[in-house]
Amino acid sequence: MSWRHLLRVICLFASLAGALTQAQATAPPLTVTTPHLTAELVSLHTSLHAGSSNTLGLRLKHQPHWHTYWRNPGDAGQATEIKLSSPKGYVISDIIWPAPKRIPVGPLMSFAYENEVVLPFTLTVPAHASGTIDLEAKAAWLVCKDICVPEEATLTLSLPVNTQRISGPYLTLFNEAAARTPKAADFPTQVANESTVHIRLKPGLGDVSYFPYSESWMEPAAKQEFRGDRLSLKKIASGKFDHADGVVVSDAGVFEIKPQLVTTLGPQTPAAEKFDLGFVSALLLAFLGGMVLNLMPCVFPVLSIKILSLVQHQNNLKIHGLIYTLGVVLSFVGLAGLMLILRATGEQIGWGFQLQNPEVVFVLSLLFFLIALNLFGLFELGNFLPSSLANAEHAHPALDAFFTGVLAVLAASPCTAPFMGAALGYALSLSAPAALLIFASLGLGLAFPYLLLCYYPALLKRLPKPGAWMNTLKQALAVPMLITVVWLLWVIGLQTSHEQVAKVLLTLIAVFATLFFVHQRSGLKTKILLLLASAATMLWAWPTASTAPTALTSPTSLTSPSSSTPNSSAWQNFDPQRLAKEVAEGKTVFVDFTAAWCVSCQVNKQTVLNAVSTQQLFVDKKVLLMRADWTRRDPVISKAIESLGRNGVPVYALYRPGQPVALLPEVLTFGILENALKDL
């Protein structure tokens, strides 16, 4: 006999002993008070209504830290019982149980009530009833703190029968019970009986507590994990499982669920609050993530160029900063809005989705190439445009500031900075307006350093005075721009073909030649012909669906997989079914969700994941390595990322037998990996 069953037997014998020794009063009292609680039979209204249902209840007012039990008491205990005697023709319901609380008692968990509670039931009064009705209830309960005491009492209540409905003194208590009374779930529920029981609920419920009606199958004290739409519960080893009817208490309400038993629940939907993120926390994390984006290699040169312009022109700085911020925020909100619209149509996409299209990468490569040539001083915009348009930057500095903000967002979109992943994953569990607010906070974070300089220009005085150093710095900033172009060409090659990369290179050469000769000659015809030639080359090199390869080999593999054993240092292609199988067999799996266009992914790969020490750590710990390449759109990988509460890369997930998935930070170090694997 287990200790849990032994405790139940002890409670049963204690209850029987209490029943035999309980002193009975000659006249049943209206209220019974013991050293542990006060019990009373109460009514919602001051009278009974003939021909309808009336709400009554057993009121229990506990002394501090004492509690009584729900219909399923948890690890140990005994449910409260009420037996009501009434005249013939009256119909009495069972207790309508309000949802309890999880009350830890040492290593055990009780499903119980504390403080003051009413356990309601209904009494249907015949239509012909009149006069005053005398009700008598025999109640028994087990009340516990450090010890458990079985108690019982016979309670009475006299109520007149009339047509009035006047609320009694316990209206608030009945309303509290009604708020905790489960309503039928307005969403479908399913349950899969595996090594761990998984119940599919609705995402976005917030903090969830589950109370099963059955006492025989679930470990009451075990931690309950709710991620995305999935509640994970631990079974009792010897328990028999055939259903999971019960009550779910959540931030969104109290629901009664009767899940359909299925073999598997299938893909998981995005996680919500179970990353311990409230809305305000998500806003803050998005803001911090936006600030960190300024340090990314694509964004930093853009910001630096604008800071240089502030050194030279310090007029209307506050307005300039606000308009730049507006450009950043609207661009983030616009990209996020487009992503939400596409997701609503069934597209499996996440943050950075635009870079999964070779056409977008092609345009960005041209844009960054032009920026680099401009920084080198090869051309000025005024050489190509009429003077009225060429002077627009000086005539309309606000327009220039706005589009610089747009450019900064385009440069930042391939990156997922620290703090961003959890915030943006949380955003997708919210309504569209709330999600867009989180993306707007991300934009505010990106714009904040520049806005700070505009509002406090004294900070600019720390820089040297304008001079030749500025031209040197601009030319130096062109180098990371060209490196970015090389990286974008690599991405295009992975998304399409080597032939397509050659076409893009020829386009860049044509653009360079056009700019060079226009710089040498100022004739309008020459400019037009050269520009038309460059445009024709761009059209010829434009990526199309036919340029995409039929299969995409992971660009981030270290070596070809040579073994499927966990101690192999080779990266395996991501396969959800194989992942589940390996974990079920007791193996630990590390999954790198990555993409060629993700700057953070590539930095982590080169500095940490490819390191000999890291690979040796994986071998020593017998960790199976999988790489999920999201360079091109992949619904399977998209669903896997969403199931982890994320919507962009990088994501680093450690799957361990019998444990929740561990998510590592977006910026990896060897120490982080070593600490995550220390228990293996």
Side-chain angles (χ1 to χ4, degrees), residues 200 229-230 265-269 639 643:
R200 166 167 280 172
D229 65 349
R230 197 148 305 178
L265 296 183
Q268 195 166 349
T269 56
K639 289 180 181 179
S643 72

Side-chain angles (χ1 to χ4, degrees), residues 8 39 58 101 293 322 439 533 550:
R8 292 190 183 279
L58 174 65
K101 297 179 180 178
L293 278 178
L322 286 174
F439 281 94
T550 55

Side-chain angles (χ1 to χ4, degrees), residues 119-130:
L119 304 181
F121 55 89
T122 62
L123 176 68
T124 302
V125 179
H128 58 77
S130 62

